[in-house]
Each structure stands twice: as structure tokens, then as C-alpha cells.
Amino acid sequence: AQRVTQPEKLLSVFKGAPVELKCNYSYSGSPELFWYVQYSRQRLQLLLRHISRESIKGFTADLNKGETSFHLKKPFAQEEDSAMYYCALSGPGGDTGGFKTIFGAGTRLFVKA
Amino acid sequence: GAVVSQHPSWVICKSGTSVKIECRSLDFQATTMFWYRQFPKQSLMLMATSNEGSKATYEQGVEKDKFLINHASLTLSTLTVTSAHPEDSSFYICSARAQTGVADTQYFGPGTRLTVL
């Protein structure tokens, strides 16, 4: 079954501290993994994707196929990083066919001054 | 950049009526659009995948006759909630898939808040 698991609903860190948002997935195949971010009162937007292997706003994420994980990391959190973060998986849709993206439950990151 | 709009942004209706929500890709053509539903403090739940010119593909547990999806053009998909009931009250979000560079990217609309009285 396709599934994305984000075990933490809320993560609170101090400004300047490292942050890691966890994401594990279950998928029979080679999915594409994403992190989306939703700032307060804004729409969901793409933060980064595993195939790009890039750093966006200081965030990085490495796909670990052995552990089926795609954790999001930032060495020094900033107050403006406070937002809702969703891990997502895209790929062929299994029983229903086609291509689709499914989301984890989300982790709210709160960066304290 | 690619922009997806939704209309209306919010709607209040009486129980038993039908409500139509539009999703448009403003500056790109989207062969595939997706409809999600989001309950308060919960994640996005995929309802259906809408393909231009063909029938939508619904996720398990989503009633096809209740949530009618039409994707008449490459820039427009509509979701009609038929005979709405209070339990249909939710935040509905659409997204459109666009090809950017070598990879596809999903762009999300701002969402539509439906309240059924």
C-alpha cells in the first residue's frame, strides 16, 4: 500500500537550532518524493524534490531507499521557517491507475525566538 | 511561475443544494488536475484525478455520483458537490500538473472553503 508517514504533528525548536522533520514512506516501486510547505494563510507550495538534490531556503532532504525515508533537515532554523510541512509521494497510482500524489499528515514547525 | 486559481474561495450553501467549484491553470496547460479535501488540522486527502477529455479517476471511498468532476479543457476542471450535506463541509483544494524542465511539478490552488448549513 502507498503511504506517507510523518510521525510528528508538532515540532518546536529555538531559532538557530538544527531541525529535522521526519518522513517515511511505503511504496512498491520507485516513487518521487517531495516536501511541500504551507505558510500561514498561503497556499501549499513545493519546497523541494528528491530528484533535484538541491537546497532550498537552507533545507535539504536525502532519499534513503533502504530506510524508505526522506527526512527534511536544516542546520539553523529561522523564525520565518515556521509553517506546516508536508511530505509527499508521487508515482503511478496502483489500483486506481494513473499518476497521483499522496501526502503525509503534516508536521507543524514552530521556531521560537 | 505557474498559477492555479480556484473559484469561489468560500461558499455557504443550504443542505440539499449543489455547489460547483472551478479550478483553472492560468498560464499553463494542465492535462492532469487533482482534487483534494482537507479537514481542519488534517492532511490533504486525494479525492480524484481529473484528466482532460476523459473520466476522472476516483480514490477508494469517494462517491463518484456525489463529487462530479469535469475536465473540459486543458485549463479548467470543475468539482460539483451534489446534494450537499453538512458532513461535506470542508476545504477543497485543486492542483494542476505542469511540466517544468525535466520534471513535472504540481501547483496548488488557494482552496475553497465549503460550509453546508
Side-chain angles (χ1 to χ4, degrees):
Chain A
Q2 302 163 4
R3 189 167 53 246
V4 177
T5 304
Q6 291 179 251
E8 302 139 329
K9 283 191 173 180
L10 173 67
L11 187 62
S12 183
V13 301
F14 282 103
K15 176 183 172 182
V19 62
E20 181 180 48
L21 287 77
K22 291 185 169 44
C23 172
N24 287 88
Y25 67 92
S26 173
Y27 186 80
S28 55
S30 295
E32 189 171 358
L33 275 296
F34 303 82
W35 276 98
Y36 286 88
V37 60
Q38 188 170 30
Y39 299 102
S40 179
R41 299 184 186 280
Q42 294 187 29
R43 70 184 69 192
L44 202 64
Q45 57 184 287
L46 178 66
L47 180 62
L48 53 80
R49 59 203 306 167
H50 89 270
I51 61 172
S52 301
R53 302 186 65 82
E54 56 193 345
S55 173
I56 303 292
K57 299 184 179 182
F59 285 98
T60 58
D62 291 319
L63 178 62
N64 186 323
K65 292 186 179 180
E67 296 181 359
T68 58
S69 68
F70 189 56
H71 304 327
L72 182 68
K73 300 177 184 179
K74 184 168 182 176
F76 308 103
Q78 302 299 313
E79 288 181 75
E80 54 266 28
D81 295 330
S82 296
M84 193 73 179
Y85 291 80
Y86 293 96
C87 183
L89 172 159
S90 287
D95 293 344
T96 55
F99 172 97
K100 66 178 182 181
T101 300
I102 57 173
F103 287 80
T107 298
R108 182 165 296 283
L109 175 63
F110 181 57
V111 181
K112 297 176 285 190
Chain B
V3 177
V4 175
S5 72
Q6 279 184 245
H7 178 80
S9 55
W10 59 270
V11 57
I12 300 172
C13 69
K14 291 183 179 179
S15 188
T17 60
S18 294
V19 174
K20 180 187 280 189
I21 303 170
E22 291 187 350
C23 176
R24 292 182 186 271
S25 56
L26 297 185
D27 47 5
F28 65 100
Q29 294 184 330
T31 54
T32 307
M33 289 185 172
F34 304 89
W35 287 96
Y36 293 86
R37 185 173 180 176
Q38 187 177 31
F39 291 103
K41 299 187 188 295
Q42 294 189 30
S43 186
L44 285 76
M45 195 179 69
L46 181 64
M47 298 174 66
T49 301
S50 168
N51 298 295
E52 186 266 337
S54 65
K55 291 183 178 180
T57 303
Y58 290 81
E59 294 301 300
Q60 277 190 340
V62 178
E63 297 177 59
K64 301 177 184 182
D65 296 330
K66 179 151 192 70
F67 298 100
L68 300 178
I69 291 172
N70 184 278
H71 193 155
S73 76
L74 288 172
T75 59
L76 172 65
S77 176
T78 60
L79 168 67
T80 302
V81 183
T82 62
S83 187
H85 287 95
E87 57 265 29
D88 298 325
S89 298
S90 190
F91 196 56
Y92 293 87
I93 303 170
C94 78
S95 75
R97 190 174 163 204
Q99 187 161 23
T100 53
V102 297
D104 289 345
T105 300
Q106 269 186 254
Y107 295 93
F108 287 81
T112 297
R113 183 161 302 285
L114 170 64
T115 302
V116 184
L117 302 176

